């Protein structure tokens, strides 16, 4: 059995931030990563035009700033390069292709026993650590909803993690299911490449520009959220007008309130709204069923499509392997606890980047956890 002070599960940005913070305190650790590389979502499963949606000052990881040459909104490739440099700087060496099968606290020894399958050898390896940090990410397992008749669809069906760019879809009729930031941006990319693009929008949503988000993030530090939300909604109405005639309605609750309470991000517009208004992108309601290449919508209308892209988010499988925790994480792998105490569980269990607060939240979590562990081992 391999014995470590801290066991980290996941080598995405959250896990890397955690490793760097432990390194800063000279605390030994080990990282288990099920993929064959760090930050696999960014390296292997993200679309080409992806940029960080927030200004780089809100996305930097602990103890290493972005290069001065980077723009305000960092591209996917720039962020990957930054993470590679981060790993080199802090000498982070994950154990790759390790899938955690169980992690359980042993009350007699006061240690966490983690069993991980080595996907190369097929063997189950056992590790023991005083502390366990769950950094497996909010975007760990792609989710595609169950839709009646989906198996009859003759065209391509793919999750957003398999979409790279719109070049291959020129002149095709493509349905994008999901109107979060990924869905909006993928629809924009498809339309730019000449696809006949439709977008399913099921729920009301806030649409803000990058500059509005930046202003809001600054203001929310100094004034009440409801006042910031009122300003954001007013600015959104001035810039985007009434979008209800295009099938998009605003929620009754404000964007920063919804982000804090429900973890629901506002849409950061990069040009999609203009294409919706010009009818280059058609907005459609919820799907009822699929019959061959015909998709039936809740209004009773049907439309034929060549391809369906599901931008329907992710689930987490933490509840499958984390044993005995009924305090820190819910069944969907998100922290049950309210900010700012959401990162600390019981018996040396922590989570980083699981509070729907983005990279900024993950960086803060990692700093807090490392300080807490350091205080406990002194």
């Amino acid at each position: 059995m391999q014995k470590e002070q801290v066991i980290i599960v996941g080598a995405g940005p959250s896990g890397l931030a955690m490793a760097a913070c432990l390194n800063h305190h000279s605390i030994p650790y080990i990282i288990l990563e099920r993929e064959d590389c760090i930050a696999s979502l960014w390296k292997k499963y993200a679309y080409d035009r992806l940029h960080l949606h927030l200004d780089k000052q809100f996305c930097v990881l602990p103890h290493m700033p972005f290069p001065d040459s980077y723009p305000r909104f960092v591209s996917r490739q720039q962020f990957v390069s930054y993470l590679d440099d981060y790993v080199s700087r802090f000498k982070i060496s994950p154990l790759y292709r390790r899938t955690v099968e169980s992690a359980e606290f042993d009350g007699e020894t006061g240690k966490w026993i983690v069993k991980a399958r080595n996907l190369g050898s097929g063997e189950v390896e056992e590790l023991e650590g005083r502390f366990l940090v769950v950094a497996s990410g909010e975007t760990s397992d792609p989710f595609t909803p169950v839709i009646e008749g989906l198996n009859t669809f003759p065209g391509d069906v793919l999750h957003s993690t398999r979409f790279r760019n719109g070049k291959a879809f020129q002149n095709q009729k493509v349905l994008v299911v999901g109107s979060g930031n990924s869905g909006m941006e993928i629809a924009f990319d498809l339309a730019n490449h000449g696809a006949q693009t439709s977008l399913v929008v099921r729920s009301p949503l806030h649409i803000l520009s990058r500059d509005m988000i930046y202003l809001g993030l600054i203001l929310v530090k100094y004034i009440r959220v409801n006042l910031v939300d009122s300003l954001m909604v007013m600015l959104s109405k001035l810039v985007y007008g009434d979008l209800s005639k295009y099938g998009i309605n605003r929620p009754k609750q404000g964007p920063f309130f919804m982000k804090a309470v429900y973890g629901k991000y506002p849409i950061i517009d990069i040009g999609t709204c203009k294409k919706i208004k010009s009818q280059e992108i058609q907005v459609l309601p919820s799907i009822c069923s699929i019959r061959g290449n015909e998709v039936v919508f809740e209004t009773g209308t049907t439309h034929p499509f060549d391809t369906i892209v599901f931008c329907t988010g992710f689930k987490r499988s933490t509840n499958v392997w984390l044993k005995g925790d009924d305090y820190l994480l819910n069944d969907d792998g998100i922290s049950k606890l309210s900010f700012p105490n959401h990162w600390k569980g019981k018996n040396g269990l922590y989570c980083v980047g699981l509070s729907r607060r983005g990279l900024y939240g993950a960086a803060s979590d990692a700093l807090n956890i490392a300080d807490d562990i350091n205080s406990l081992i002194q």
Side-chain angles (χ1 to χ4, degrees):
M1 180 184 293
Q2 187 169 343
K3 297 183 179 182
E4 300 290 340
Q5 188 76 282
V6 184
I7 301 171
I8 304 170
V9 179
S14 295
L16 300 180
M18 189 69 255
C21 290
L22 292 172
N23 178 292
H24 187 71
H25 287 290
S26 300
I27 299 171
Y29 66 87
I30 194 166
I31 302 184
L32 303 175
E33 168 56 48
R34 68 182 182 182
E35 294 279 352
D36 59 1
C37 63
I38 64 159
S40 61
L41 183 69
W42 289 88
K43 288 194 171 188
K44 297 165 65 174
Y45 304 117
Y47 48 92
D48 294 342
R49 64 162 292 115
L50 178 63
H51 287 64
L52 295 178
H53 290 119
L54 301 182
D55 191 290
K56 64 181 180 181
Q57 69 174 285
F58 300 111
C59 301
V60 67
L61 298 186
H63 307 303
M64 186 175 134
F66 285 116
D68 291 338
S69 60
Y70 275 25
R72 280 181 65 195
F73 300 99
V74 177
S75 72
R76 170 197 176 193
Q77 192 51 55
Q78 287 170 326
F79 189 57
V80 167
S81 295
Y82 168 76
L83 293 178
D84 284 337
D85 291 342
Y86 197 82
V87 165
S88 296
R89 178 169 178 173
F90 296 107
K91 298 179 174 58
I92 302 171
S93 300
L95 291 181
Y96 294 116
R97 303 194 69 208
R98 298 318 201 269
T99 298
V100 175
E101 296 191 345
S102 69
E104 190 166 6
F105 183 73
D106 185 335
E108 291 186 7
T109 64
K111 301 292 180 64
W112 284 90
I113 308 300
V114 177
K115 295 180 180 179
R117 185 169 298 278
N118 183 326
L119 298 180
S121 67
E123 296 179 1
V124 174
E125 301 167 348
E126 193 166 299
L127 300 93
E128 179 184 277
R130 181 175 172 187
F131 305 99
L132 175 66
V133 181
V134 179
S136 46
E138 295 178 3
T139 54
S140 56
D141 300 310
F143 170 72
T144 300
V146 175
I147 298 175
E148 180 186 344
L150 179 59
N151 62 332
T152 70
F153 185 75
D156 290 331
V157 176
L158 59 153
H159 189 269
S160 60
T161 51
R162 291 175 52 213
F163 181 89
R164 295 295 169 264
N165 58 64
K167 292 178 183 177
F169 303 95
Q170 185 177 11
N171 297 321
Q172 286 193 28
K173 294 179 180 178
V174 183
L175 178 64
V176 178
V177 182
S179 54
N181 279 299
S182 293
M184 287 284 189
E185 194 160 352
I186 285 174
F188 178 78
D189 192 64
L190 285 162
N192 277 346
H193 283 93
Q196 298 177 48
T197 308
S198 297
L199 175 68
V200 171
V201 178
R202 295 174 50 197
S203 307
L205 47 86
H206 287 288
I207 298 180
L208 306 176
S209 70
R210 284 171 164 172
D211 287 334
M212 290 177 204
I213 289 286
Y214 177 79
L215 175 62
L217 288 171
I218 297 298
L219 290 178
V220 81
K221 296 179 181 179
Y222 305 104
I223 62 178
R224 296 198 309 272
V225 169
N226 64 319
L227 295 178
V228 177
D229 278 343
S230 295
L231 176 61
M232 293 299 105
V233 171
M234 181 184 71
L235 291 173
S236 181
K237 287 179 178 177
L238 286 172
V239 172
Y240 299 109
D242 181 11
L243 297 174
S244 62
K245 59 182 128 180
Y246 303 102
I248 298 175
N249 296 296
R250 287 188 180 87
K252 293 180 180 179
Q253 297 169 314
F256 282 84
F257 175 85
M258 292 182 67
K259 173 65 180 64
V261 176
Y262 307 118
K264 187 173 178 60
Y265 288 83
I267 301 306
I268 303 173
D269 182 51
I270 44 81
T272 310
C273 272
K274 185 177 180 180
K275 290 190 178 293
I276 288 172
K277 289 181 175 181
S278 69
Q279 303 295 304
E280 291 178 75
I281 297 174
Q282 177 183 208
V283 174
L284 294 170
S286 297
I287 298 173
C288 282
S289 62
I290 296 173
R291 299 194 296 257
N293 71 335
E294 294 280 343
V295 179
V296 183
F297 296 89
E298 66 178 5
T299 53
T301 57
T302 63
H303 298 276
F305 293 98
D306 302 305
T307 298
I308 301 175
V309 182
F310 283 98
C311 301
T312 43
F314 299 81
K315 296 290 185 182
R316 289 141 294 277
S317 54
T318 318
N319 63 320
V320 174
W321 55 264
L322 182 59
K323 311 297 182 182
D325 170 50
D326 58 1
Y327 176 78
L328 182 61
L329 301 177
N330 64 24
D331 288 343
D332 193 28
I334 298 296
S335 179
K336 292 180 181 180
L337 307 180
S338 300
F339 173 85
N341 302 311
H342 56 276
W343 48 269
K344 184 174 182 178
K346 298 178 178 179
N347 300 319
L349 176 66
Y350 301 91
C351 68
V352 54
L354 291 173
S355 62
R356 302 192 189 278
R357 296 175 62 240
L359 291 167
Y360 180 82
S364 176
D365 293 347
L367 288 164
N368 286 329
I369 294 167
D371 286 346
D372 195 63
I373 291 176
N374 188 55
S375 70
L376 292 171
I377 63 176
Q378 292 303 313

